[in-house]
Amino acid sequence: KNPYIHLNWAAFEEERGKLEIAREALDHIDKGMPGLIAVILRRAGLERRSGNIEQGGDILKQAIENCRGRETRDFWIMKYVGYLQYSAKDIPAARKFLQDQIERNPRNKKLYVRLLDLEHSSDTNFPNTAGVVTVFNKALTSSLTIEEKAGFSHRRLTFLEEFGDNVTAIISAYDDHNKNWKTVLDEKKKESSLPPRDYKRRDNYNHNRNYNRDRNYNHQNNYNQNNFNNQGGGAGGGGGFNMNYNMQHAQQQQQYQQWYSQYAQQQQFAAQGQYQQPQQNRGY
């Protein structure tokens, strides 16, 4: 199921003039692996090169209906509009199709931009000024975001300055832009000119603060636990002394008992007159 084998096979048969065999090869791989862009474009191109302009457009239109996802749908819409504009030479059909898609998805900025390009290049001698301004006005009254509308308003001013033949329309566009959209663009430029925030410095501050907080918490927790153990409040309700503390306490008790035993023996010898002062070792 390698699609490139079928594409090469179809190209080979098309070079030989065997168009039906080329169609069968492309249809076979399209049914086995539907949705491949290279296969769909080759099928439409085969019909276009064969003079079947309408059949080629139907293939692209069918791809729009069968695709899933907004990005894929936008891709095939642009391909179909380009086919109608350049291959079919049917500007009204391309315009009508784009207008229907805008009605279906009024928040898709790409559709407005493509319709503007269509109106701008519909006449090789001079742009369709009325059609372009109509698209601009439609975008400004749509459900696009404020930033996107402000961008279209600025593009409208540029277009009217270059191709407008009515100074009244230019002045009206300037008034509308300064009243409704210029502030949005100025704020956007101001935000883009601000220096980037030092997130690394802030992260280091948060890291040090969290580290000190955790260290203080652990120290206090250990201190409380030691007090709790030394007070006999361990598990089991009592006698839960710390092991190190118990060992040290036992050693102190043993040393005290040894000292007290020697002291009592010395006192007994002294009472009987038998106590002798131990001789010091003088080294000889």
Side-chain angles (χ1 to χ4, degrees), residues 5 12 19 57 60 107 130 133 223-224 280:
I5 296 178
F12 174 73
L19 300 182
L60 296 177
R107 294 189 176 184
V133 173
Y223 175 79
N224 295 335
Q280 297 181 356

Side-chain angles (χ1 to χ4, degrees), residues 43-61:
R43 290 181 60 205
L46 174 62
E47 299 300 335
R48 174 178 56 81
R49 289 187 293 270
S50 302
N52 302 322
I53 302 298
E54 185 177 355
Q55 286 80 353
D58 293 340
I59 293 173
L60 296 177
K61 193 172 184 180

Side-chain angles (χ1 to χ4, degrees), residues 77-136:
I77 287 176
M78 301 308 163
K79 292 298 180 182
Y80 180 60
V81 171
Y83 186 88
L84 292 176
Q85 180 179 3
Y86 299 110
S87 298
K89 308 295 182 182
D90 194 349
I91 300 298
R95 181 186 297 114
K96 179 65 168 55
F97 179 78
L98 279 174
Q99 291 174 350
D100 293 341
Q101 295 299 318
I102 289 175
E103 292 296 330
R104 181 177 178 178
N105 190 6
R107 294 189 176 184
N108 194 336
K109 179 183 176 181
K110 295 180 181 178
L111 300 177
Y112 295 95
V113 174
R114 186 64 182 89
L115 185 56
L116 285 173
D117 294 337
L118 178 66
E119 298 294 351
H120 199 281
S121 59
S122 59
D123 192 345
T124 57
N125 296 324
F126 202 78
N128 183 6
T129 306
V132 173
V133 173
T134 300
V135 177
F136 277 127

Side-chain angles (χ1 to χ4, degrees), residues 254-269:
Q254 184 178 4
Q255 292 176 359
Y256 174 77
Q257 291 178 0
Q258 291 178 357
W259 174 83
Y260 185 79
S261 176
Q262 293 178 359
Y263 174 77
Q265 186 177 7
Q266 291 176 1
Q267 291 294 329
Q268 184 179 1
F269 288 159

Side-chain angles (χ1 to χ4, degrees), residues 12 27 46 100 108 111 115 125 139 160 172 191 197 210 212 215 235 241 249:
F12 174 73
D27 291 342
L46 174 62
D100 293 341
N108 194 336
L111 300 177
L115 185 56
N125 296 324
L160 289 176
S172 178
E191 292 177 357
R197 299 182 62 180
N210 294 334
N212 293 331
R215 186 177 63 177
F241 291 95
H249 181 71

Side-chain angles (χ1 to χ4, degrees), residues 19 26 52 83 94 115 118 130 161 171 174 182-183 200 213 220 222 227 249 256 277:
L19 300 182
L26 294 174
N52 302 322
Y83 186 88
L115 185 56
L118 178 66
E161 286 289 1
I171 295 174
Y174 265 105
K182 186 175 184 300
T183 305
K200 184 177 180 180
R213 182 185 61 187
Q220 183 66 28
N222 294 333
N227 289 340
H249 181 71
Y256 174 77
Q277 183 72 21

Side-chain angles (χ1 to χ4, degrees):
K1 290 186 177 181
N2 191 338
Y4 294 102
I5 296 178
H6 293 76
L7 290 174
N8 293 333
W9 178 25
F12 174 73
E13 297 296 344
E14 184 180 355
E15 287 180 346
R16 297 174 56 200
K18 305 293 184 179
L19 300 182
E20 290 299 328
I21 300 178
R23 289 191 183 96
E24 292 177 2
L26 294 174
D27 291 342
H28 177 75
I29 189 60
D30 192 26
K31 292 178 181 179
M33 303 177 67
L36 293 179
I37 295 176
V39 175
I40 297 174
L41 292 177
R42 180 66 65 85
R43 290 181 60 205
L46 174 62
E47 299 300 335
R48 174 178 56 81
R49 289 187 293 270
S50 302
N52 302 322
I53 302 298
E54 185 177 355
Q55 286 80 353
D58 293 340
I59 293 173
L60 296 177
K61 193 172 184 180
Q62 187 68 28
I64 298 174
E65 298 175 357
N66 295 336
C67 69
R68 296 180 180 179
R70 177 177 174 178
E71 294 296 331
T72 307
R73 181 179 178 83
D74 290 345
F75 173 81
W76 287 118
I77 287 176
M78 301 308 163
K79 292 298 180 182
Y80 180 60
V81 171
Y83 186 88
L84 292 176
Q85 180 179 3
Y86 299 110
S87 298
K89 308 295 182 182
D90 194 349
I91 300 298
R95 181 186 297 114
K96 179 65 168 55
F97 179 78
L98 279 174
Q99 291 174 350
D100 293 341
Q101 295 299 318
I102 289 175
E103 292 296 330
R104 181 177 178 178
N105 190 6
R107 294 189 176 184
N108 194 336
K109 179 183 176 181
K110 295 180 181 178
L111 300 177
Y112 295 95
V113 174
R114 186 64 182 89
L115 185 56
L116 285 173
D117 294 337
L118 178 66
E119 298 294 351
H120 199 281
S121 59
S122 59
D123 192 345
T124 57
N125 296 324
F126 202 78
N128 183 6
T129 306
V132 173
V133 173
T134 300
V135 177
F136 277 127
N137 295 335
K138 188 177 185 63
L140 293 175
T141 57
S142 66
S143 55
L144 293 172
T145 64
I146 297 178
E147 290 80 6
E148 291 173 340
K149 290 182 179 180
F152 277 113
S153 178
H154 186 267
R155 289 185 62 178
R156 180 180 63 175
L157 290 178
T158 304
F159 174 79
L160 289 176
E161 286 289 1
E162 293 179 359
F163 304 103
D165 53 2
N166 188 345
V167 68
T168 304
I170 298 175
I171 295 174
S172 178
Y174 265 105
D175 292 340
D176 179 70
H177 181 76
N178 293 329
K179 180 180 179 181
N180 299 319
W181 313 113
K182 186 175 184 300
T183 305
V184 178
L185 293 178
D186 292 342
E187 291 179 355
K188 188 175 181 179
K189 291 181 180 178
K190 184 178 179 180
E191 292 177 357
S192 61
S193 62
L194 293 176
R197 299 182 62 180
D198 191 357
Y199 291 99
K200 184 177 180 180
R201 180 180 179 182
R202 185 181 66 180
D203 293 341
N204 291 335
Y205 169 76
N206 292 334
H207 173 74
N208 294 332
R209 183 176 63 177
N210 294 334
Y211 171 77
N212 293 331
R213 182 185 61 187
D214 295 339
R215 186 177 63 177
N216 293 334
Y217 170 78
N218 293 331
H219 175 74
Q220 183 66 28
N221 187 39
N222 294 333
Y223 175 79
N224 295 335
Q225 185 67 28
N226 291 333
N227 289 340
F228 178 74
N229 292 333
N230 292 336
Q231 294 175 3
F241 291 95
N242 185 271
M243 183 177 295
N244 295 331
Y245 174 80
N246 291 339
M247 294 178 63
Q248 184 179 6
H249 181 71
Q251 292 176 357
Q252 291 177 355
Q253 288 286 72
Q254 184 178 4
Q255 292 176 359
Y256 174 77
Q257 291 178 0
Q258 291 178 357
W259 174 83
Y260 185 79
S261 176
Q262 293 178 359
Y263 174 77
Q265 186 177 7
Q266 291 176 1
Q267 291 294 329
Q268 184 179 1
F269 288 159
Q272 296 177 0
Q274 299 179 359
Y275 176 75
Q276 296 181 357
Q277 183 72 21
Q279 296 182 0
Q280 297 181 356
N281 188 3
R282 301 180 181 273
Y284 56 88

